[in-house]
Amino acid sequence: MTDAHSHVLPDGTTIRIRPIEPFDDERLLAMWGRTSDESRRQRFLGPFEIDETTVRRFTDLDPAIELALVAVAGRGDDERILGVARFERDEPGADSAEFAALVEDAQQGRGIGTVLIRELADEAREAGITRLHGALLASNERMMSLLRDAGLDYDQDADDAGGVVRAAMDLAPTADFLAAIYADEKRAAEAALQRFFDPKAVAVVGASRDPRSIGGLVFSNLLEGRFNGPVYPVNVSSPVVQSVAAYKSLSDLPQVPDLVYVCVPAKYVNAVVDEAGELGVRAVCVISAGFGEAGDDGKALQRDLMEIAGGHGLRIVGPNCMGLMNAGEGVRMNGTFSTIFPMPGRLAFSSQSGALGLAVLEHAANLGLGISTFVSIGNKADISGNDLLLYWEDDPATDVILLYLESFGNPRKFSRIARRVSRKKPIVVVKSGRTGAGARAASSHTGAMAAGDVAVSALFRQTGVIRTETLEELFDVAALLSSQPAPPGPNVAILTNAGGPGILAADACESNGLTAPQLSDDTKAKLREFLPPEAGINNPVDMIASASAEGYGRALRILGNADEVDAVFVIFIPAGTTSTQDVADALVAARKDVPADKPVISIFMSARGVPDELAEANIPSFAFPEDAARALGRVARYSAWRQRPVGEVVRPQGMDPAQARSIVEAALTAAPTTDEHGKRLIGKPHAAAATRAAPRKAKREVWLSTAEVEGVLGAYGVPLAKSRIVRSAEEGAEAQAEFDVPVAVKVAAPIHKIDVGGVALDLRSPDGVRRAIEQMRTNLIDAGMEEHADAFLVQEMVTDGVEMVVGVSHDPSFGPIVMTGMGGSLVELLKDVSVRITPLTDVDVDEMIDGLRMKPLLTGYRGSAPVDVDALKELLYRISAMVEDLPEISELDLNPVFVRPSGAVAVDMRMKVGDTALA
């Protein structure tokens, strides 16, 4: 940790955490002066005093063995230390350390101590410490409760004589630890956003007499929307705004508002937010532009804005946003510059684009879709989509969550939150930037195939998020989800009065993962009782053009109650004497007799449009079968995801993370440091731990040698083919003689070996190995790669089994991405691979393998023997654990991995590590 960053407390306010510094002497003494004798006694197990002569012991620390973190409020000369937590290693290099924490009395009970302890545990883990211990008074129940609240498991041994308890805790993140973090994040998001969505009084700074200006629109819309509370206009130059008495500043208001909208030029915003914070305002929506989106000056202004907000503990929506609204009758707040205020409904929507938000609100209103809450989050300087998901998870006014995303602030956190929220409520997303997002240099198969939008798709697949291609499709899905249940399965019955649209619907269903199953004999018999002989009673059910409204109703009841049917499409084309209105009435009546868990979707292909009666009965209607099938297909996939087990992260036995880390850090220590353009920087190499405090623009990356790769993989129990690194042709000949099996010889450097003749296979004699190494050395010298001609790998030949690839690419946004699929030299040509974001659960691994087209080769194809799929799964679990433990791994290729009838073995491997993966 190199600088201060904000943490949200359970009450929805923020606190900043940073390392203690020598210049904190006076601040620490001031905190000590605000701390009671009893709190001091609990911290130091008895009377203790800190003064000017001893304070340096706590502020000027040896970074090799000590770390202290402080929670601070205010900024600049007004910054105050509210709490401190520290650890000290038992001895230099030890993996255990003693810890302690202290929070001043007035701030206790807010969760500051919990945040400090969690941060301290994270820093200790990062420094290689696996266990913290400390001495507590037996009466210090507050500290023991704090450890429990932090989700940290601890053991305690009581010393009855001294009334002291020795508490010790392992730092490996447990399920309880992660659950505790989630619970606190959720409480914090709910508390913070409650102030935004349900304020009792609001103020608009920059409210204008001109209703066409942003400030004028926001103020006017709050009035027009009938906000259920006072709306105070703040205008420095006008005593009246739109017939309402105005105030020159927030300080002049008759009460402190719960929420402040800021609509003034960017250069004035920060002063307004500072004033709001001084008054005790805890929620500010900055609509003004000119911040992070506006170049370096704007970015500096945004950083200052967030420092001000952090100093006061208040939360920010924006800046550069459209505002927010709550359509609920108890609030009626249109705090946006959109004059369209949709009716109350069950859809919550967040848009990263303000301009797009205008179109979204208009489209929702035109479709008759109601909104619970809407937010335009703009630059996401503070409140993010992750906070909104946590709030909407249990929001009683919201059933469906809609998101328009341009970027992820914290994709891994999004993954963790969305995976849980999707179990309760569907999340539907339009994610822009599908093309070109992953355009980056990649030196491995995995890096080339798991970049950009591939990672986004993997994230959504794992978390159950419904992704749509366009906003129109998003609203199709929203209309379906807001009116119908998710189908229990993929089987769709198609009811029509025209054969052509029925066939189109069947084709569209198949294209979207749905099926049009054969109807049972019982269902057909019931249909035959009233349909004419020329009608088709297979699926689609074609009642022909003469179909009556009564026939539609009767057929819907039969199909909707058929065991083989999970959803029903009803297609109507006006023909003959049957009216659209009569068919709509019949469907509304019949829907009441269809089980509630089966969706009924209408496709009224007529110029008249959708009858109002269908909307009132919550039967969605589409203009064309393809639109309906696309929407239902996405909802059906979500329904299937929600019915699957949650899955558990598997961490196999027999792994030695410490050994692997020592290899990686040694390699990075010896690696040259380069700038962001790859230019080598002059200076001594430094350890990986020290690099984390280095400027972000300095980086080191290095391909590990074959011996180093084998060492890292071996530490994680990854099965490798028997091999030996040799330095000469004679050593290679001796290795083959000792192995006494056919061998392969490969250049041991991390290069594409085949391109330089660096691979020789099926060598059965020492002389063959000797000649192969001599030839490779010549090839490398001729290619100007003499530096790679000093090491060769002699490896037993592995030819039995199915060739697979297992790899890792470290995406700069998403973290480690694991890939598996068909391996060998054609991996990038065939592209039969599956990718997932770590950590992998057992369900993730099963789905990765099940999703491969080549899976039949694993289970036995055309008489071939099945191979050990469980061994492949075990390998994936080990790779997932490895890259979670070692985020320095930026690229890894195991290609091929031979999955045999018994076991799996990696034959060729490349690994790149870099401290840039830690950024």
Side-chain angles (χ1 to χ4, degrees):
M1 182 185 298
T2 60
D3 52 14
H5 59 279
S6 292
H7 275 268
V8 186
L9 300 176
D11 64 0
T13 61
T14 61
I15 198 76
R16 293 203 313 280
I17 306 294
R18 63 168 174 80
I20 205 165
E21 299 287 354
F23 58 72
D24 283 321
D25 288 2
E26 292 185 7
R27 294 186 180 92
L28 188 61
L29 286 171
M31 188 202 97
W32 184 257
R34 298 190 299 269
T35 305
S36 68
D37 290 340
E38 177 58 22
S39 292
R40 298 175 184 178
R41 186 182 73 85
Q42 295 280 9
R43 160 64 178 86
F44 289 97
L45 312 183
F48 194 86
E49 191 60 49
I50 299 176
D51 57 28
E52 291 82 355
T53 64
T54 58
V55 67
R56 273 300 171 102
R57 170 185 168 189
F58 300 96
T59 60
D60 192 6
L61 307 180
D62 179 354
I65 61 173
E66 299 172 287
L67 175 70
L69 303 178
V70 290
V72 297
R75 66 181 191 135
D77 294 338
D78 295 327
E79 188 181 68
R80 307 181 312 282
I81 292 178
L82 308 181
V84 59
R86 59 176 284 158
F87 70 72
E88 181 176 348
R89 291 184 193 264
D90 294 340
E91 58 184 39
D95 62 0
S96 60
E98 186 171 15
F99 81 100
L102 177 65
V103 176
E104 67 175 73
D105 292 61
Q107 302 294 329
Q108 292 176 8
R110 295 183 59 205
I112 294 174
T114 299
V115 168
L116 281 168
I117 290 293
R118 282 185 186 147
E119 279 288 304
L120 193 74
D122 286 343
E123 292 294 320
R125 275 193 292 267
E126 188 71 17
I129 295 170
T130 61
R131 191 167 177 82
L132 292 178
H133 62 85
L136 311 173
L137 290 178
S139 59
N140 194 352
E141 178 57 34
R142 181 182 289 274
M143 177 57 75
M144 295 179 193
S145 176
L146 186 151
L147 295 177
R148 289 193 294 269
D149 291 343
L152 294 166
D153 294 330
Y154 65 92
D155 305 317
Q156 62 183 51
D157 294 318
D159 179 353
D160 295 333
V164 174
V165 171
R166 300 293 304 180
M169 53 190 178
D170 292 323
L171 296 185
T174 64
D176 288 342
F177 179 76
L178 297 175
I181 290 176
Y182 188 92
D184 281 353
E185 289 174 343
K186 183 172 170 58
R187 283 194 296 270
E190 290 172 341
L193 285 165
Q194 187 71 16
R195 299 185 179 103
F196 285 97
F197 287 134
D198 191 17
K200 306 309 175 189
V202 302
V204 180
V205 181
S208 173
R209 300 174 65 181
D210 180 1
R212 295 168 299 178
S213 69
I214 296 298
L217 277 171
V218 171
F219 182 69
S220 175
N221 289 339
L222 285 164
L223 297 180
E224 293 292 331
R226 297 180 290 106
F227 173 66
N228 192 22
V231 182
Y232 297 111
V234 177
N235 187 307
V236 70
S237 59
S238 178
V240 176
V241 172
Q242 298 181 37
S243 301
V244 179
Y247 301 83
K248 289 185 177 299
S249 70
L250 288 171
S251 301
D252 295 330
L253 299 183
Q255 71 180 104
V256 176
D258 301 292
L259 171 61
V260 172
Y261 289 94
V262 183
C263 308
V264 298
K267 62 182 179 180
Y268 302 118
V269 168
N270 292 7
V272 171
V273 175
D274 198 19
E275 181 185 17
E278 290 289 346
L279 293 171
V281 175
R282 292 292 175 259
V284 177
C285 178
V286 180
I287 292 177
S288 309
F291 288 85
E293 81 287 358
D296 291 341
D297 290 344
K299 291 176 183 177
L301 196 62
Q302 184 165 307
R303 285 193 298 269
D304 187 56
L305 169 66
M306 294 317 302
E307 285 184 15
I308 292 170
H312 292 298
L314 61 82
R315 306 301 303 276
I316 299 284
V317 166
N320 183 36
C321 73
M322 179 184 160
L324 54 135
M325 62 173 56
N326 184 337
E329 288 296 343
V331 180
R332 297 294 301 172
M333 180 182 69
N334 181 7
T336 74
F337 49 82
S338 169
T339 56
I340 296 173
F341 195 12
M343 65 181 183
R346 311 292 299 175
L347 301 175
F349 197 104
S350 170
S351 173
Q352 209 168 320
S353 164
L356 190 66
L358 292 170
V360 163
L361 293 173
E362 182 176 4
H363 196 57
N366 291 339
L367 292 175
L369 295 175
I371 297 290
S372 60
T373 45
F374 167 87
V375 190
S376 164
I377 54 179
N379 292 359
K380 298 191 299 182
D382 182 14
I383 295 292
S384 69
N386 291 336
D387 297 307
L388 292 166
L389 288 179
L390 288 167
Y391 176 84
W392 284 326
E393 178 182 358
D394 290 322
D395 176 26
T398 298
D399 291 336
V400 181
I401 299 168
L402 310 179
L403 304 176
Y404 169 74
L405 297 177
E406 294 174 353
S407 64
F408 292 95
N410 187 333
R412 306 203 78 191
K413 185 175 180 181
F414 177 91
S415 173
R416 178 167 52 86
I417 294 171
R419 195 187 296 248
R420 175 165 173 163
V421 175
S422 292
R423 291 281 167 181
K424 296 181 179 180
K425 298 177 180 179
I427 302 171
V428 191
V429 172
V430 171
K431 171 68 174 68
S432 64
R434 295 183 68 104
T435 59
R440 65 184 184 93
S443 303
S444 66
H445 298 301
T446 311
M449 299 179 64
D453 199 62
V454 173
V456 175
S457 296
L459 171 68
F460 290 158
R461 189 183 303 112
Q462 284 174 268
T463 57
V465 168
I466 303 171
R467 182 177 190 174
T468 64
E469 305 292 332
T470 65
L471 283 170
E472 184 177 9
E473 292 174 15
L474 178 136
F475 279 105
D476 285 345
V477 173
L480 184 55
L481 287 168
S482 63
S483 61
Q484 295 292 302
N491 298 322
V492 181
I494 301 167
L495 178 63
T496 180
N497 66 343
I503 295 172
L504 286 174
D507 289 343
C509 284
E510 294 290 340
S511 298
N512 286 278
L514 304 168
T515 60
Q518 287 291 320
L519 300 178
S520 69
D521 291 341
D522 180 61
T523 301
K524 292 179 181 179
K526 291 176 180 177
L527 291 170
R528 183 59 71 196
E529 288 178 2
F530 69 95
L531 290 178
E534 59 270 27
I537 58 171
N538 293 309
N539 194 12
V541 175
D542 181 4
M543 298 190 298
I544 68 174
S546 61
S548 65
E550 179 187 2
Y552 264 103
R554 188 170 177 182
L556 175 57
R557 289 182 178 90
I558 293 170
L559 295 174
N561 285 278
D563 292 338
E564 66 272 23
V565 172
D566 298 312
V568 181
F569 277 6
V570 181
I571 303 173
F572 174 70
I573 296 179
T577 59
T578 304
S579 74
T580 300
Q581 186 62 60
D582 289 343
V583 173
D585 291 340
L587 296 183
V588 170
R591 178 66 179 100
K592 300 174 184 178
D593 299 324
V594 173
D597 67 341
K598 291 187 180 182
V600 174
I601 300 167
S602 66
I603 297 116
F604 273 53
M605 301 175 68
S606 64
R608 181 184 181 279
V610 181
D612 293 338
E613 289 75 7
L614 287 179
E616 292 172 5
N618 282 330
I619 298 177
S621 188
F622 294 83
F624 300 102
E626 294 87 348
D627 298 332
R630 190 181 301 114
L632 184 63
R634 287 185 165 88
V635 175
R637 285 193 293 274
Y638 164 69
S639 179
W641 176 88
R642 197 163 63 174
Q643 293 174 48
R644 289 195 290 267
V646 174
E648 296 182 357
V649 174
V650 178
R651 190 171 177 87
Q653 298 296 312
M655 299 188 297
D656 188 350
Q659 173 64 21
R661 174 160 291 284
S662 68
I663 296 171
V664 170
E665 291 191 349
L668 283 175
T669 299
T673 303
T674 63
D675 65 15
E676 58 189 321
H677 305 294
K679 182 179 179 181
R680 183 166 179 168
L681 299 176
I682 303 300
K684 295 180 179 180
H686 44 286
T691 303
R692 297 183 187 109
R696 287 280 178 95
K697 291 185 178 180
K699 66 178 184 180
R700 293 167 307 160
E701 286 186 330
V702 61
W703 286 98
L704 298 185
S705 69
T706 300
E708 289 170 327
V709 177
E710 289 185 346
V712 173
L713 295 174
Y716 277 86
V718 174
L720 306 174
K722 185 178 180 181
S723 63
R724 180 178 299 171
I725 301 292
V726 299
R727 300 292 175 180
S728 67
E730 195 57 43
E731 287 184 17
E734 292 172 359
Q736 195 283 331
E738 181 179 329
F739 289 176
D740 196 25
V741 294
V743 299
V745 173
K746 307 173 187 178
V747 174
I751 60 176
H752 285 295
K753 303 171 181 62
I754 293 178
D755 296 343
V756 293
V759 177
L761 303 176
D762 200 23
L763 304 176
R764 297 172 177 268
S765 70
D767 284 343
V769 170
R770 186 181 294 109
R771 288 192 298 270
I773 292 177
E774 290 171 348
Q775 183 61 54
M776 287 179 194
R777 188 187 301 277
T778 299
N779 293 345
L780 290 167
I781 293 172
D782 291 344
M785 304 173 69
E786 187 173 357
E787 71 273 17
H788 298 312
D790 62 348
F792 303 88
L793 178 72
V794 179
Q795 184 181 67
E796 68 170 320
M797 281 292 297
V798 180
T799 57
D800 61 317
V802 176
E803 286 188 77
M804 303 287 290
V805 61
V806 173
V808 173
S809 175
H810 198 292
D811 187 276
S813 296
F814 294 89
I817 301 171
V818 176
M819 177 185 82
T820 192
M822 178 173 283
S825 59
L826 300 180
V827 56
E828 289 187 42
L829 177 63
L830 298 177
K831 294 184 178 179
D832 183 16
V833 297
S834 295
V835 301
R836 294 292 187 275
I837 294 169
T838 63
L840 301 182
T841 68
D842 50 357
V843 172
D844 291 332
V845 169
D846 286 346
E847 291 179 350
M848 289 178 77
I849 296 172
D850 290 342
L852 296 172
R853 297 190 303 275
M854 53 79 65
K855 187 190 176 184
L857 295 178
L858 301 174
T859 55
Y861 181 68
R862 291 191 173 182
S864 65
V867 297
D868 193 348
V869 176
D870 287 340
L872 175 60
K873 293 180 181 179
E874 173 85 2
L875 174 59
L876 289 168
Y877 296 142
R878 291 183 181 276
I879 296 299
S880 175
M882 181 179 70
V883 296
E884 284 288 296
D885 292 344
L886 300 172
E888 295 90 345
I889 296 174
S890 56
E891 293 189 47
L892 167 69
D893 264 349
L894 305 181
N895 183 33
V897 171
F898 280 91
V899 185
R900 297 161 141 177
S902 178
V905 59
V907 173
D908 201 3
M909 62 216 76
R910 303 174 72 221
M911 181 186 295
K912 183 166 70 173
V913 298
D915 46 42
T916 52
L918 301 171

